[in-house]
Amino acid sequence: VPKQPYELYYWSGIPGRGEFVRLALEDAAISYIDHARDKDADEKLMRFMRKPDLDHPPFAPPFLRTDQSLIGQTATILFYLGARYGLAPKDEEGRLWVHQLQLTIADLVAEAHDVHHPISAGLYYKDQKEEALKRAKAFREERIPKFLAYFERVLEEPLEPEEGHKKRSDKGKRRVLPKKNRWLAGQAFSYADLSLFHTLAGLHYAFPTTMAKLAPQSLRVKNLSMRVAARPRIKAYLSSARHLAFNEDGIFRHYAELDG
Amino acid sequence: VPKQPYELYYWSGIPGRGEFVRLALEDAAISYIDHARDKDADEKLMRFMRKPDLDHPPFAPPFLRTDQSLIGQTATILFYLGARYGLAPKDEEGRLWVHQLQLTIADLVAEAHDVHHPISAGLYYKDQKEEALKRAKAFREERIPKFLAYFERVLEEPLEPEEGHKKRSDKGKRRVLPKKNRWLAGQAFSYADLSLFHTLAGLHYAFPTTMAKLAPQSLRVKNLSMRVAARPRIKAYLSSARHLAFNEDGIFRHYAELDG
């Protein structure tokens, strides 16, 4: 338990990659200060990153300040939190598996961003729209289906009797949860489930037509998302003022022409 | 120590992301089987990935098979190896810092790939060359300088007296290594140094003119790369038949027109 609340630094005005960290903090009921909500948040963020005395300067936000250190890269922050707050399996194999899933989600998120910025993040969308139309076609037709098929496959794997996640009934028999309650790492709920939920929400926001077409092929992923959304702390967070909606400054943007 | 040698799965014919894992295995003198060198390696790889009984199916290669498990995502494999074979600091903070650096290197590597494939990995370069010319300009002018400046900054940080990395001289005073011998994580050599070395080599291969221009701004990174190349096991590996040169099927490709 930290002596001071964690401090989250991220750009203001968008859910962005900061949202993956927020969902973990909220689901685990961890106390934190969200500096993205400060006055002049972006200026403060940039000033902080330029500080010459940072031991471990981050390349980009989000980053998390703890009592002891400064942690950058979304997946690294989640790895840190997951181990401490029950958002990852306890055993090394399980923790690495959840982390591997998180990195695959991160790849999907980066691709979702590059759909509307295929040439440069330094140019406006309108200045790379022609290229975006082409990249969006490939993303809709090849990449989204490939990622969804992967997570469907993960969710259909048989439950493994991992150490630390075995549950035995009163009669001493192993109790195996029904598959419909399966998380990405089996019985162990993890930050990867939160991240997949948010990524799916982003894809539905940005590509509603595409995602509607793909619904029959992604029933398990949808079921997982619904169960995440129904978790009491996530539900409370999503309807709170702390939560920002998707918009056209963020990673997931709805431009109808890119949805095909 | 594993009972069986590790087995590395990756595409044949290119260094690719598999090379980051190879460099760690080679530097730590870990015994491994490189299935990318098998006959019909790519077919075997795809057949393996489709096996229905995989507990933890990887999304893409590289992946590493151990006695106990299958680990995918380059950065996750390195996290696993780093902890076991002295390629990462022992303390949690140091391990997460090295991992954070690795993920930033991975972002740079992904961008280096997308320069020649800005629309789709499913299309040939010649079919997205116009867009590649535009993306290359942004990569050369904005992104490479930004990443290099970041790693230069990391290398100029003062050494921290991290637990587990303190060294004291006979007289009980803390011995601080001179800055020219600094690694990304200070005194602790790590897989992130190996990865930065390989990434720099790739950028020099793909963008020789650009990198020559940037040389005066990246002296520390260059110095680090030279020290990595001079490590006996890395030197032996690079001149062995196990090592594959860069080529125009891989991540780092030399197309003169993209070098500006």
Side-chain angles (χ1 to χ4, degrees):
Chain A
V1 180
K3 286 170 212 155
Q4 307 284 334
Y6 292 118
E7 295 180 56
L8 175 65
Y9 284 84
Y10 194 65
W11 305 117
S12 67
I14 59 167
R17 287 186 172 82
E19 196 67 7
F20 297 102
V21 181
R22 287 189 194 102
L23 286 169
L25 293 165
E26 295 280 348
D27 190 79
I30 302 166
S31 164
Y32 70 105
I33 295 162
D34 190 344
H35 285 297
R37 307 298 180 244
D38 293 352
K39 193 167 169 292
D40 302 323
D42 295 353
E43 282 168 40
K44 281 175 69 177
L45 170 76
M46 286 186 280
R47 206 158 47 231
F48 187 94
M49 285 183 70
R50 280 196 298 263
K51 279 171 64 175
D53 61 340
L54 296 179
D55 281 345
H56 295 161
F59 181 73
F63 46 91
L64 189 75
R65 199 177 186 180
T66 76
D67 285 347
Q68 306 285 335
S69 64
L70 193 65
I71 308 171
Q73 285 282 358
T74 310
T76 310
I77 300 170
L78 292 172
F79 190 86
Y80 174 88
L81 294 174
R84 278 175 175 63
Y85 299 98
L87 288 174
K90 294 257 180 256
D91 62 296
E92 185 195 24
E93 188 181 343
R95 285 169 69 197
L96 290 179
W97 170 231
V98 166
H99 195 58
Q100 176 182 339
L101 291 163
Q102 182 66 37
L103 291 178
T104 299
I105 293 167
D107 288 343
L108 169 54
V109 170
E111 291 190 27
H113 170 272
D114 281 8
V115 164
H116 51 78
H117 278 73
I119 302 302
S120 168
L123 295 172
Y124 290 112
Y125 166 62
K126 67 177 176 55
D127 296 328
Q128 50 195 313
K129 190 167 159 180
E130 256 184 76
E131 295 87 357
L133 287 166
K134 290 188 192 175
R135 180 145 184 165
K137 184 173 189 289
F139 187 63
R140 291 192 312 266
E141 295 179 2
E142 295 158 31
R143 302 302 287 170
I144 299 181
K146 184 171 175 171
F147 278 103
L148 287 179
Y150 175 70
F151 291 113
E152 286 290 309
R153 178 182 177 186
V154 169
L155 289 168
E156 83 185 342
E157 294 301 312
L159 286 173
E160 315 135 68
E162 281 176 7
E163 277 312 317
H165 297 102
K166 284 177 190 166
K167 286 193 180 179
R168 287 171 187 284
S169 75
D170 292 344
K171 287 176 187 163
K173 276 190 191 158
R174 185 171 301 149
R175 215 184 90 216
V176 174
L177 293 180
K179 280 191 183 174
K180 70 183 168 65
N181 287 329
R182 187 173 155 67
W183 301 111
L184 287 168
Q187 294 184 33
F189 179 77
S190 75
Y191 59 79
D193 297 304
L194 293 167
S195 295
L196 185 59
F197 155 73
H198 180 65
T199 302
L200 257 286
L203 291 172
H204 275 280
Y205 173 80
F207 305 97
T209 309
T210 304
M211 293 302 286
K213 270 187 218 154
L214 292 170
Q217 299 156 238
S218 50
L219 296 174
R220 291 186 194 88
V221 167
K222 190 191 172 183
N223 174 277
L224 177 142
S225 285
M226 288 170 59
R227 283 180 287 127
V228 171
R231 289 171 74 84
R233 287 177 191 140
I234 295 299
K235 203 174 165 184
Y237 167 65
L238 294 177
S239 62
S240 76
R242 299 190 300 286
H243 173 70
L244 271 185
F246 292 113
N247 60 53
E248 278 57 59
D249 292 317
I251 294 171
F252 297 103
R253 303 188 187 186
H254 179 59
Y255 297 127
E257 62 274 19
L258 300 186
D259 192 19
Chain B
V1 180
K3 286 171 211 155
Q4 307 284 335
Y6 292 118
E7 296 179 56
L8 174 65
Y9 285 83
Y10 194 64
W11 304 116
S12 68
I14 59 167
R17 287 187 173 80
E19 196 67 7
F20 296 102
V21 181
R22 287 189 194 103
L23 286 170
L25 293 165
E26 294 279 347
D27 190 80
I30 302 166
S31 163
Y32 70 105
I33 295 162
D34 190 344
H35 285 298
R37 308 297 181 243
D38 293 353
K39 193 167 171 291
D40 302 323
D42 295 353
E43 283 168 40
K44 281 175 68 177
L45 170 77
M46 286 187 280
R47 207 157 47 230
F48 187 95
M49 286 183 69
R50 280 196 298 263
K51 280 171 64 174
D53 61 340
L54 296 179
D55 280 345
H56 296 161
F59 180 72
F63 47 90
L64 189 75
R65 197 177 186 181
T66 76
D67 285 347
Q68 306 285 335
S69 63
L70 194 65
I71 308 171
Q73 284 282 359
T74 309
T76 311
I77 300 170
L78 292 172
F79 190 87
Y80 174 88
L81 294 175
R84 279 176 174 62
Y85 299 98
L87 288 174
K90 294 257 181 254
D91 62 297
E92 185 196 24
E93 188 181 344
R95 285 169 68 196
L96 291 179
W97 170 231
V98 165
H99 194 58
Q100 177 181 338
L101 290 163
Q102 182 65 38
L103 292 178
T104 300
I105 294 168
D107 289 343
L108 169 53
V109 170
E111 291 190 27
H113 171 271
D114 282 8
V115 164
H116 51 77
H117 278 74
I119 302 302
S120 167
L123 295 172
Y124 290 111
Y125 166 62
K126 67 176 176 57
D127 296 328
Q128 50 195 315
K129 191 168 159 180
E130 256 184 77
E131 295 86 356
L133 287 166
K134 291 188 193 177
R135 180 145 185 165
K137 184 172 188 294
F139 187 63
R140 289 192 312 264
E141 295 179 3
E142 296 158 31
R143 301 304 287 170
I144 299 182
K146 184 171 175 169
F147 278 102
L148 287 180
Y150 174 70
F151 292 112
E152 287 291 308
R153 179 183 177 185
V154 169
L155 289 169
E156 84 185 342
E157 293 302 312
L159 286 174
E160 317 133 67
E162 280 177 6
E163 278 311 317
H165 297 102
K166 284 177 189 164
K167 285 193 179 179
R168 288 171 188 282
S169 75
D170 292 342
K171 287 176 186 161
K173 278 190 190 157
R174 186 172 300 149
R175 215 183 91 216
V176 174
L177 292 180
K179 280 190 184 174
K180 69 182 170 63
N181 287 329
R182 188 174 154 65
W183 301 111
L184 287 167
Q187 294 184 32
F189 179 78
S190 74
Y191 59 79
D193 297 304
L194 294 167
S195 294
L196 184 58
F197 154 74
H198 180 65
T199 303
L200 256 286
L203 291 173
H204 275 280
Y205 173 80
F207 306 96
T209 309
T210 304
M211 293 303 285
K213 270 187 217 155
L214 293 170
Q217 298 156 237
S218 51
L219 295 175
R220 292 187 193 87
V221 167
K222 191 192 173 184
N223 174 276
L224 178 141
S225 285
M226 287 169 61
R227 283 181 286 127
V228 172
R231 288 172 73 86
R233 287 176 191 140
I234 294 300
K235 203 173 165 185
Y237 167 63
L238 293 177
S239 62
S240 76
R242 299 191 299 288
H243 173 70
L244 271 185
F246 292 114
N247 61 52
E248 278 56 60
D249 292 319
I251 294 171
F252 297 104
R253 304 188 186 186
H254 179 58
Y255 297 127
E257 62 274 19
L258 300 186
D259 192 19

